[in-house]
PDB file of all heavy atoms in Angstrom:
ATOM      1  N   ASN A 132      22.754  17.868  18.154  1.00 75.00           N
ATOM      2  CA  ASN A 132      22.716  16.445  18.500  1.00 75.00           C
ATOM      3  C   ASN A 132      23.690  16.069  19.612  1.00 75.00           C
ATOM      4  O   ASN A 132      23.671  14.950  20.100  1.00 75.00           O
ATOM      5  CB  ASN A 132      23.034  15.594  17.258  1.00 75.00           C
ATOM      6  CG  ASN A 132      21.939  15.691  16.214  1.00 75.00           C
ATOM      7  OD1 ASN A 132      20.772  15.794  16.545  1.00 75.00           O
ATOM      8  ND2 ASN A 132      22.327  15.676  14.946  1.00 75.00           N
ATOM      9  N   ASP A 133      24.555  16.998  19.987  1.00 74.00           N
ATOM     10  CA  ASP A 133      25.547  16.668  21.005  1.00 74.00           C
ATOM     11  C   ASP A 133      24.952  16.840  22.407  1.00 74.00           C
ATOM     12  O   ASP A 133      24.033  17.608  22.628  1.00 74.00           O
ATOM     13  CB  ASP A 133      26.784  17.559  20.858  1.00 74.00           C
ATOM     14  CG  ASP A 133      26.426  19.038  20.897  1.00 74.00           C
ATOM     15  OD1 ASP A 133      25.337  19.386  20.393  1.00 74.00           O
ATOM     16  OD2 ASP A 133      27.218  19.825  21.435  1.00 74.00           O
ATOM     17  N   GLY A 134      25.505  16.107  23.349  1.00 75.00           N
ATOM     18  CA  GLY A 134      25.081  16.225  24.737  1.00 75.00           C
ATOM     19  C   GLY A 134      23.652  15.832  24.996  1.00 75.00           C
ATOM     20  O   GLY A 134      22.953  16.488  25.782  1.00 75.00           O
ATOM     21  N   GLU A 135      23.175  14.753  24.346  1.00 77.00           N
ATOM     22  CA  GLU A 135      21.779  14.353  24.487  1.00 77.00           C
ATOM     23  C   GLU A 135      21.419  14.038  25.940  1.00 77.00           C
ATOM     24  O   GLU A 135      20.369  14.453  26.427  1.00 77.00           O
ATOM     25  CB  GLU A 135      21.500  13.126  23.604  1.00 77.00           C
ATOM     26  CG  GLU A 135      21.528  13.402  22.115  1.00 77.00           C
ATOM     27  CD  GLU A 135      20.364  14.272  21.663  1.00 77.00           C
ATOM     28  OE1 GLU A 135      19.325  14.281  22.348  1.00 77.00           O
ATOM     29  OE2 GLU A 135      20.494  14.947  20.631  1.00 77.00           O
ATOM     30  N   GLU A 136      22.298  13.326  26.625  1.00 81.00           N
ATOM     31  CA  GLU A 136      21.987  12.925  28.001  1.00 81.00           C
ATOM     32  C   GLU A 136      21.860  14.141  28.915  1.00 81.00           C
ATOM     33  O   GLU A 136      20.921  14.235  29.713  1.00 81.00           O
ATOM     34  CB  GLU A 136      23.076  11.987  28.517  1.00 81.00           C
ATOM     35  CG  GLU A 136      22.766  11.411  29.890  1.00 81.00           C
ATOM     36  CD  GLU A 136      23.789  10.377  30.326  1.00 81.00           C
ATOM     37  OE1 GLU A 136      24.512   9.853  29.442  1.00 81.00           O
ATOM     38  OE2 GLU A 136      23.862  10.092  31.530  1.00 81.00           O
ATOM     39  N   GLN A 137      22.789  15.084  28.772  1.00 84.00           N
ATOM     40  CA  GLN A 137      22.727  16.289  29.594  1.00 84.00           C
ATOM     41  C   GLN A 137      21.502  17.133  29.252  1.00 84.00           C
ATOM     42  O   GLN A 137      20.906  17.778  30.111  1.00 84.00           O
ATOM     43  CB  GLN A 137      24.003  17.113  29.396  1.00 84.00           C
ATOM     44  CG  GLN A 137      25.248  16.474  29.993  1.00 84.00           C
ATOM     45  CD  GLN A 137      25.124  16.273  31.494  1.00 84.00           C
ATOM     46  OE1 GLN A 137      24.637  17.145  32.209  1.00 84.00           O
ATOM     47  NE2 GLN A 137      25.549  15.103  31.963  1.00 84.00           N
ATOM     48  N   LYS A 138      21.127  17.117  27.965  1.00 82.00           N
ATOM     49  CA  LYS A 138      19.960  17.884  27.537  1.00 82.00           C
ATOM     50  C   LYS A 138      18.689  17.339  28.187  1.00 82.00           C
ATOM     51  O   LYS A 138      17.830  18.100  28.641  1.00 82.00           O
ATOM     52  CB  LYS A 138      19.842  17.843  26.012  1.00 82.00           C
ATOM     53  CG  LYS A 138      18.893  18.904  25.459  1.00 82.00           C
ATOM     54  CD  LYS A 138      18.671  18.801  23.972  1.00 82.00           C
ATOM     55  CE  LYS A 138      19.851  18.325  23.190  1.00 82.00           C
ATOM     56  NZ  LYS A 138      19.610  18.267  21.739  1.00 82.00           N
ATOM     57  N   VAL A 139      18.568  16.005  28.245  1.00 84.00           N
ATOM     58  CA  VAL A 139      17.400  15.387  28.862  1.00 84.00           C
ATOM     59  C   VAL A 139      17.336  15.746  30.341  1.00 84.00           C
ATOM     60  O   VAL A 139      16.272  16.095  30.868  1.00 84.00           O
ATOM     61  CB  VAL A 139      17.447  13.852  28.683  1.00 84.00           C
ATOM     62  CG1 VAL A 139      16.376  13.182  29.537  1.00 84.00           C
ATOM     63  CG2 VAL A 139      17.261  13.484  27.222  1.00 84.00           C
ATOM     64  N   ILE A 140      18.474  15.705  31.013  1.00 89.00           N
ATOM     65  CA  ILE A 140      18.512  16.059  32.440  1.00 89.00           C
ATOM     66  C   ILE A 140      18.099  17.514  32.638  1.00 89.00           C
ATOM     67  O   ILE A 140      17.330  17.844  33.552  1.00 89.00           O
ATOM     68  CB  ILE A 140      19.928  15.807  33.007  1.00 89.00           C
ATOM     69  CG1 ILE A 140      20.245  14.311  32.991  1.00 89.00           C
ATOM     70  CG2 ILE A 140      20.042  16.371  34.422  1.00 89.00           C
ATOM     71  CD1 ILE A 140      21.672  13.983  33.392  1.00 89.00           C
ATOM     72  N   ARG A 141      18.584  18.381  31.760  1.00 87.00           N
ATOM     73  CA  ARG A 141      18.277  19.810  31.881  1.00 87.00           C
ATOM     74  C   ARG A 141      16.793  20.081  31.676  1.00 87.00           C
ATOM     75  O   ARG A 141      16.167  20.855  32.418  1.00 87.00           O
ATOM     76  CB  ARG A 141      19.111  20.599  30.860  1.00 87.00           C
ATOM     77  CG  ARG A 141      18.995  22.107  31.010  1.00 87.00           C
ATOM     78  CD  ARG A 141      20.032  22.833  30.173  1.00 87.00           C
ATOM     79  NE  ARG A 141      19.834  22.654  28.746  1.00 87.00           N
ATOM     80  CZ  ARG A 141      20.614  21.904  27.977  1.00 87.00           C
ATOM     81  NH1 ARG A 141      21.653  21.269  28.500  1.00 87.00           N
ATOM     82  NH2 ARG A 141      20.381  21.790  26.679  1.00 87.00           N
ATOM     83  N   TYR A 142      16.188  19.421  30.687  1.00 86.00           N
ATOM     84  CA  TYR A 142      14.768  19.634  30.430  1.00 86.00           C
ATOM     85  C   TYR A 142      13.902  19.046  31.550  1.00 86.00           C
ATOM     86  O   TYR A 142      12.880  19.629  31.926  1.00 86.00           O
ATOM     87  CB  TYR A 142      14.362  19.033  29.081  1.00 86.00           C
ATOM     88  CG  TYR A 142      14.646  19.940  27.911  1.00 86.00           C
ATOM     89  CD1 TYR A 142      15.506  19.562  26.883  1.00 86.00           C
ATOM     90  CD2 TYR A 142      14.053  21.191  27.833  1.00 86.00           C
ATOM     91  CE1 TYR A 142      15.768  20.395  25.816  1.00 86.00           C
ATOM     92  CE2 TYR A 142      14.304  22.036  26.763  1.00 86.00           C
ATOM     93  CZ  TYR A 142      15.170  21.625  25.757  1.00 86.00           C
ATOM     94  OH  TYR A 142      15.419  22.463  24.708  1.00 86.00           O
ATOM     95  N   ARG A 143      14.293  17.904  32.076  1.00 90.00           N
ATOM     96  CA  ARG A 143      13.534  17.334  33.187  1.00 90.00           C
ATOM     97  C   ARG A 143      13.559  18.259  34.394  1.00 90.00           C
ATOM     98  O   ARG A 143      12.541  18.443  35.072  1.00 90.00           O
ATOM     99  CB  ARG A 143      14.125  15.967  33.557  1.00 90.00           C
ATOM    100  CG  ARG A 143      13.742  14.849  32.603  1.00 90.00           C
ATOM    101  CD  ARG A 143      14.400  13.543  32.994  1.00 90.00           C
ATOM    102  NE  ARG A 143      13.957  12.451  32.134  1.00 90.00           N
ATOM    103  CZ  ARG A 143      14.539  11.253  32.093  1.00 90.00           C
ATOM    104  NH1 ARG A 143      15.594  11.012  32.869  1.00 90.00           N
ATOM    105  NH2 ARG A 143      14.081  10.318  31.300  1.00 90.00           N
TER     106      ARG A 143
END
Side-chain angles (χ1 to χ4, degrees):
N132 292 325
D133 56 325
E135 291 291 335
E136 186 174 341
Q137 290 300 318
K138 195 185 327 181
V139 170
I140 294 174
R141 187 169 66 252
Y142 277 119
R143 283 178 176 168

